[in-house]
Amino acid sequence: MFAKVPSGARTGLKTGAKPRTTLLHYATFVVAIATLAGMVWFVASDFAAKVESLAKARSDNVQWSLSQVEVEYLVFDHALRDVGVHGIDALPQLRQHFDILYSRIDTLRSSDLFREVREQADFQPALAETWAAITDALPYIDGPDQMLLDNLDALITRFDAIHDDVRMLGLHGISFFAERSDERREGIAETLNRVAAITLVLVFILTLLIFMLWRFSRVLHSHAEDARLSADRISAVVTTALDAVVVSDRSGVIQEFNGGAEDIFGYTRDEVLGRTIEDVMVPPHLRKAHAEGFHHYVTTGERRVIGRGRIKLEARRKNGSTFPVELSVSATRQQDGAEIFVAFLRDITGRVATEQALRQARDKAMAGERAKAELLAVMSHEMRTPLNGMLGTLELLGETDLSARQKKYLSVANRSGQLLLHHVNDVLDVARLESGKMGIDRRVVDLSDLVRDVVEGQQTVAEAAGNAIEVSLLPPGKSLVVSDPVRLRQILLNLVGNAVKFTRNGMIHISVDRLGYDDMVEISVSDTGIGIAPEDIERVFSDFVTLDATYDRQNTGTGLGLGIARRMARAMNGDIGVESEPGEGSLFWIRIPMPPAPVGATAEVDVLAPVVPLLPEATTPAERGQAPLRILVVEDNEINRLVVREMLETAGHSVTEAKDGLEGADAARDHSFDLILMDISMPHMDGIEATRLIRARDGASSGAPIVALTAHAMLEEISRFKAAGMDHSLTKPITREALQIALNLARGKPASPDEPAQSAPDADTPVDQSRLDTMAQEVGADRLAKLVDAFLAEADRTVDGLTAAPQAASDDHALLATLHHLAGSAAVFGARDLHDWLAEMERLGKSGQTGQMHDRLPEIAAIWARTRSRYSDMQTADSRK
């Protein structure tokens, strides 16, 4: 379980050693470098001096020899003349001087020192002439004395003739060697200059190296100090860490045990140092696995725990109890190379308990969601059954002889039934898709024909809004695919219908393309409509989301269409998405695998359910025996206008209709009415603005009573209506009893208080028996009994939770969700008192009066006790039947 860590010296957190480098070391280093540079300079200078000296000595010796040639010549010439004066006694000295002259000239002829000068053109003739004179005199000099004396005058003449040549030898030689000496000195000086330059460069480089070494030394010193501080910080962190930090060697002997480990395991540091991890921390039932894992690591080097991140295990405290821990182990080495292991352990007892509680809460929530989904599916099925029967009966009724008024009523009932059936089907589809019970029927489909059918069905609505629809289909012969035509048609109808609904005088383009991978086909629907804000892009696929929720909304709907489309697309192994910019339009796309149909296959016929057409309308108001009123009905919904108009006209009143607030305000300006019934949510101008405009104008009906027809029934909304100039409010759906309140107001009779007109619950009858009777007819008495039992059990749990510890309900959002959920169930099962009280609590919470909401929570106990008792009495009465 726990990694073991190597043996050796006791492991702790050490601080870094401070560098010993001092200024003395720096000074010594600089002196050494300076000495080296001085030696280089001294050697170079000495070398130059010696070379100069040697060069000068050789040059002087050669030049002296050349200058001595003429001297020796003159001495010999003087000796030659002296023989003429002193006779034979002067011959020995003559011969001596001749030998010297001979030696000088012979040296010039044969010595390597004079080789370069001998090669000079001016030097050779003079040397040759001089040597010729010497060789000519040689027989006389070396011959008998008398012969020398006899030829003395000839010798004098001969040597006088070469005097200029001898002088030429000396002068030319000296000049030549002087030039060569100068050239050598210049070369040596240049060489020395180079040596000096190189020496300066070397000195600069050495100086730079010294600086760099100094900088490196400073950096190393800084790093060493940082390492020391880091080690000190790590030591402080480990010492004060709340998590346990345990260091052990390779044999499992504990070498370090911090304060966090002491708190978690119950041991002191001194108690565990020197003991093994297995003995101190590993539970008995895990010791075998721990030993085997450690042996496996030692023999194979394979790491199963070390360096593998955080692992959840069990550990043992000093008192023997086991608890869950989160373990992370890392390996490192000491300076001596010995391997050690550092284990970080965290006590996660609280977290495990919390996770377990969350799992239990999730399971309960999922069970509740499943129960809700099942109830939704059951109710949808049971609601659709009587609806289908009703619509079928209406269709049969339309084939009988009916009066014009009966046909109009039948048309309204038929249209309303079709719309309700559509909504019920949407809810049923959601329930099926959520439960995974909606199957996919894959058949051969002509995708191009399916798209054309959808477009043709929307063409009339699109043209009415000034829109044009363009289509780009698959190439001919490629449109036969395998897919579910019903689901695919439903998705496309939703996307194209939305594009038509939210586009005015624009363009809608439908494109079909095969993407070339995984048989994927993409169908995109783009429009030039109002677009979608970035924050609403993902919300449009949520259930019951309608982005246009203002009073002057142009479009209506349940908000289920796109949610169902996404579920269906994903059920077909595809997906759906949208790209949009506000004011620029939207592009919805679906990508669904649609394999090409087998060769020779044909598309199967897709039969659609017939739609019952609306019956022709008729206007034959019936007069009643009461004073008729002139009434303006401002309502954007055609069916609602028709219902209200028929109710009023059958009572003998005169009705004028307006389709929106602006049209209604204009009618009130131009005509006198006894009563104005004003809808609130309308396009172009809502009912509140229309009321303000009517009251502000000095029109024919500026003082007429105005009654709101609205589904916005909260007291804050009613206060806004009254502030705008309305006299009363009626809550939809409108009944004859509710209309009578408005008629009384028009006749000057008192109306009920300014709150939504609705039947007040009887304090003695907290349960709506008629509601339960209706449900019994729809779902059957036996099924209703089971559903009521489920509702009672749910309400019991909720009420117990709200009354057991109301002060704990600090999460207002969760409390509101609980109240809303129970209110919905109470409404379904006719628990009127409970529903009304829950609706009031929800209103308080949503209006920000959460303190009052919390204070009134205990009231639910008495309300539920009275309601529960009524249900029990009803069940007892049913059992006796």
Side-chain angles (χ1 to χ4, degrees):
M1 179 187 77
F2 300 100
K4 297 187 177 180
V5 248
S7 60
R10 180 178 180 277
T11 301
L13 296 172
K14 302 179 180 179
T15 59
K18 189 173 182 179
R20 292 185 175 181
T21 306
T22 61
L23 293 177
L24 179 61
H25 294 103
Y26 296 141
T28 303
F29 186 77
V30 171
V31 170
I33 295 298
T35 302
L36 178 62
M39 293 177 63
V40 171
W41 177 82
F42 175 77
V43 170
S45 300
D46 184 65
F47 168 76
K50 289 182 178 180
V51 170
E52 181 71 16
S53 175
L54 290 174
K56 287 183 178 180
R58 179 180 177 187
S59 175
D60 292 346
N61 183 52
V62 172
Q63 292 180 19
W64 181 83
S65 297
L66 288 172
S67 64
Q68 283 297 110
V69 169
E70 185 177 6
V71 172
E72 298 298 337
Y73 165 78
L74 294 175
V75 171
F76 171 74
D77 182 71
H78 177 63
L80 190 62
R81 296 181 186 278
D82 191 54
V83 171
V85 176
H86 298 287
I88 197 169
D89 293 334
L91 289 179
Q93 188 174 9
L94 175 64
R95 287 189 173 96
Q96 181 182 2
H97 290 302
F98 179 82
D99 291 339
I100 294 173
L101 178 62
Y102 180 90
S103 176
R104 296 289 184 191
I105 300 304
D106 185 57
T107 298
L108 292 179
R109 289 181 60 252
S110 58
S111 176
D112 289 338
L113 292 176
F114 303 98
R115 180 169 49 81
E116 293 180 356
V117 73
R118 287 198 301 267
E119 294 175 355
Q120 300 297 315
D122 294 340
F123 190 82
Q124 289 181 354
L127 179 61
E129 185 64 24
T130 302
W131 181 250
I134 289 175
T135 55
D136 289 345
L138 186 61
Y140 300 108
I141 296 300
D142 291 338
D145 294 339
Q146 189 57 46
M147 186 174 60
L148 176 56
L149 292 174
D150 291 342
N151 293 283
L152 183 60
D153 293 334
L155 290 174
I156 292 173
T157 301
R158 182 74 175 96
F159 277 94
D160 285 342
I162 66 171
H163 182 261
D164 291 337
D165 293 328
V166 172
R167 174 166 293 184
M168 176 64 69
L169 291 177
L171 294 177
H172 188 80
I174 291 171
S175 176
F176 174 79
F177 281 105
E179 292 177 0
R180 289 294 182 272
S181 178
D182 291 341
E183 291 177 357
R184 289 190 183 96
R185 277 193 294 272
E186 290 176 358
I188 292 172
E190 184 177 355
T191 300
L192 290 176
N193 288 335
R194 292 173 182 172
V195 170
I198 293 172
T199 302
L200 290 176
V201 171
L202 290 176
V203 170
F204 175 76
I205 292 175
L206 288 174
T207 304
L208 182 61
L209 289 175
I210 292 171
F211 176 76
M212 292 176 64
L213 290 173
W214 175 77
R215 289 289 300 167
F216 289 158
S217 176
R218 291 291 301 273
V219 171
L220 290 175
H221 178 77
S222 176
H223 287 175
E225 185 66 17
D226 290 343
R228 184 187 65 80
L229 294 176
S230 177
D232 290 343
R233 285 193 295 267
I234 293 174
S235 177
V237 169
V238 171
T239 302
T240 60
L242 298 178
D243 292 341
V245 180
V246 181
V247 180
S248 62
D249 61 20
R250 196 177 180 84
S251 62
V253 175
I254 298 175
Q255 298 183 353
E256 188 58 52
F257 201 77
N258 76 331
E262 292 179 336
D263 295 337
I264 292 174
F265 289 96
Y267 294 98
T268 64
R269 180 174 179 272
D270 295 335
E271 285 180 307
V272 300
L273 292 183
R275 297 175 61 182
T276 64
I277 286 179
E278 180 177 344
D279 179 48
V280 173
M281 301 160 54
V282 181
H285 66 280
L286 293 178
R287 289 180 180 176
K288 182 179 179 181
H290 170 71
E292 291 176 352
F294 176 68
H295 177 72
H296 179 79
Y297 169 73
V298 172
T299 55
T300 66
E302 181 182 357
R303 296 185 175 186
R304 296 180 178 176
V305 176
I306 302 170
R308 306 307 289 266
R310 292 179 290 185
I311 300 174
K312 293 181 180 179
L313 293 171
E314 286 185 328
R316 184 173 64 90
R317 291 190 174 94
K318 181 180 180 180
N319 59 14
S321 62
T322 60
F323 63 101
V325 296
E326 192 173 63
L327 168 71
S328 176
V329 182
S330 61
T332 185
R333 292 189 179 276
Q334 299 183 110
Q335 294 181 352
D336 59 1
E339 189 176 19
I340 62 171
F341 301 94
V342 182
F344 295 85
L345 303 98
R346 176 174 297 174
D347 184 353
I348 58 173
T349 302
R351 191 174 76 188
V352 171
T354 302
E355 291 174 353
Q356 185 176 1
L358 288 175
R359 281 194 296 269
Q360 292 175 353
R362 180 202 61 189
D363 293 341
K364 291 180 180 179
M366 292 178 65
E369 289 296 324
R370 285 194 296 269
K372 183 178 70 174
E374 291 174 0
L375 176 62
L376 184 63
V378 169
M379 293 305 297
S380 297
H381 276 293
E382 297 303 329
M383 290 171 64
R384 191 166 63 166
T385 299
L387 270 175
N388 286 331
M390 182 188 73
L391 292 173
T393 303
L394 290 175
E395 184 177 3
L396 294 174
L397 184 61
E399 297 173 359
T400 63
D401 293 333
L402 300 174
S403 66
R405 176 170 294 167
Q406 289 171 333
K407 289 182 179 180
K408 179 173 287 294
Y409 294 160
L410 183 62
S411 175
V412 173
N414 187 43
R415 177 180 293 181
S416 298
Q418 291 285 354
L419 181 60
L420 180 57
L421 180 61
H422 172 72
H423 293 333
V424 170
N425 286 334
D426 280 349
V427 174
L428 183 58
D429 284 342
V430 171
R432 285 176 174 176
L433 289 166
E434 286 291 343
S435 63
K437 296 179 180 179
M438 178 174 284
I440 301 300
D441 181 19
R442 301 190 184 279
R443 293 184 285 162
V444 176
V445 183
D446 190 322
L447 190 56
S448 297
D449 287 347
L450 189 148
V451 174
R452 292 191 190 98
D453 290 343
V454 172
V455 172
E456 289 175 2
Q458 297 290 321
Q459 193 71 48
T460 302
V461 181
E463 291 175 356
N467 297 321
I469 302 180
E470 293 182 347
V471 179
S472 299
L473 301 174
L474 292 174
K478 302 291 185 180
S479 62
L480 288 181
V481 299
V482 177
S483 187
D484 186 330
V486 176
R487 309 303 171 207
L488 191 57
R489 183 187 300 274
Q490 188 170 352
I491 296 172
L492 289 179
L493 275 172
N494 188 281
L495 297 185
V496 177
N498 279 351
V500 172
K501 185 187 300 184
F502 293 102
T503 305
R504 295 290 183 273
N505 302 316
M507 177 67 67
I508 299 166
H509 185 81
I510 304 170
S511 177
V512 183
D513 297 290
R514 186 169 287 280
L515 299 182
Y517 65 89
D518 298 334
D519 296 325
M520 196 69 70
V521 173
E522 180 182 82
I523 305 177
S524 61
V525 179
S526 61
D527 61 65
T528 58
I530 60 175
I532 304 172
E535 62 271 16
D536 294 327
I537 288 292
E538 188 60 28
R539 290 181 61 237
V540 298
F541 295 105
S542 300
D543 294 334
F544 305 107
V545 171
T546 54
L547 300 184
D548 188 8
T550 58
Y551 285 151
D552 61 345
R553 61 184 183 271
Q554 300 280 342
N555 305 287
T556 59
T558 61
L560 287 173
L562 288 176
I564 293 174
R566 168 172 279 186
R567 289 182 176 92
M568 287 185 174
R570 291 179 176 176
M572 299 167 69
N573 299 322
D575 205 353
I576 187 172
V578 61
E579 301 170 11
S580 182
E581 288 290 340
E584 300 293 333
S586 303
L587 184 148
F588 283 85
W589 54 261
I590 55 172
R591 299 188 184 108
I592 299 175
M594 301 184 196
V599 178
T602 58
E604 301 181 32
V605 179
D606 183 16
V607 180
L608 299 179
V611 178
V612 180
L614 289 175
L615 298 177
E617 298 182 357
T619 55
T620 56
E623 296 292 333
R624 292 286 182 253
Q626 55 184 345
L629 298 176
R630 299 182 303 276
I631 302 173
L632 173 63
V633 178
V634 185
E635 168 66 66
D636 66 316
N637 186 288
E638 179 184 357
I639 294 177
N640 290 346
R641 279 201 317 272
L642 180 59
V643 170
V644 173
R645 185 183 70 196
E646 290 297 328
M647 289 181 180
L648 293 173
E649 286 182 347
T650 56
H653 304 289
S654 174
V655 177
T656 301
E657 297 181 25
K659 298 180 180 179
D660 58 61
L662 183 59
E663 186 177 335
D666 291 339
R669 178 193 59 193
D670 300 331
H671 304 282
S672 176
F673 297 103
D674 299 311
L675 174 66
I676 300 175
L677 299 178
M678 180 72 69
D679 184 30
I680 297 299
S681 299
M682 294 182 293
H684 305 309
M685 180 181 289
D686 62 50
I688 296 176
E689 291 299 322
T691 300
R692 292 194 181 106
L693 185 58
I694 292 173
R695 296 303 190 204
R697 286 174 172 175
D698 188 16
S701 299
S702 60
I706 301 178
V707 177
L709 304 178
T710 179
H712 301 273
M714 294 183 68
L715 294 179
E716 304 86 82
E717 297 287 344
I718 296 173
S719 299
R720 290 181 58 199
F721 304 159
K722 186 174 182 179
M726 294 182 176
D727 300 281
H728 198 68
S729 300
L730 298 179
T731 304
K732 297 177 181 178
I734 302 301
T735 64
R736 291 187 183 274
E737 291 78 7
L739 281 177
Q740 189 60 47
I741 296 174
L743 296 175
N744 291 341
L745 185 65
R747 293 188 176 103
K749 298 180 181 180
S752 61
D754 289 334
E755 60 181 6
Q758 56 186 11
S759 59
D762 188 349
D764 297 329
T765 57
V767 178
D768 185 357
Q769 179 67 53
S770 63
R771 173 62 182 158
L772 294 176
D773 293 340
T774 302
M775 291 181 67
Q777 294 176 3
E778 294 175 348
V779 303
D782 293 339
R783 179 167 293 181
L784 175 61
K786 295 179 180 179
L787 293 174
V788 169
D789 289 339
F791 163 65
L792 295 177
E794 176 194 18
D796 286 339
R797 290 192 302 269
T798 304
V799 172
D800 288 343
L802 293 174
T803 56
Q807 70 280 2
S810 59
D811 188 348
D812 293 335
H813 293 289
L815 178 58
L816 284 172
T818 301
L819 296 174
H820 181 76
H821 180 79
L822 184 58
S825 300
V828 170
F829 293 98
R832 293 185 299 188
D833 287 3
L834 178 63
H835 175 268
D836 293 344
W837 182 88
L838 290 169
E840 174 64 12
M841 293 302 99
E842 189 175 358
R843 183 194 66 78
L844 291 174
K846 290 182 178 179
S847 62
Q849 303 177 62
T850 56
Q852 186 176 353
M853 176 183 66
H854 284 286
D855 293 339
R856 293 185 59 184
L857 283 180
E859 297 176 6
I860 193 174
I863 297 174
W864 176 240
R866 188 169 63 250
T867 304
R868 188 74 163 79
S869 176
R870 178 57 182 162
Y871 277 114
S872 298
D873 294 341
M874 294 168 60
Q875 289 174 330
T876 302
D878 290 338
S879 65
R880 294 175 179 174
K881 292 180 181 180

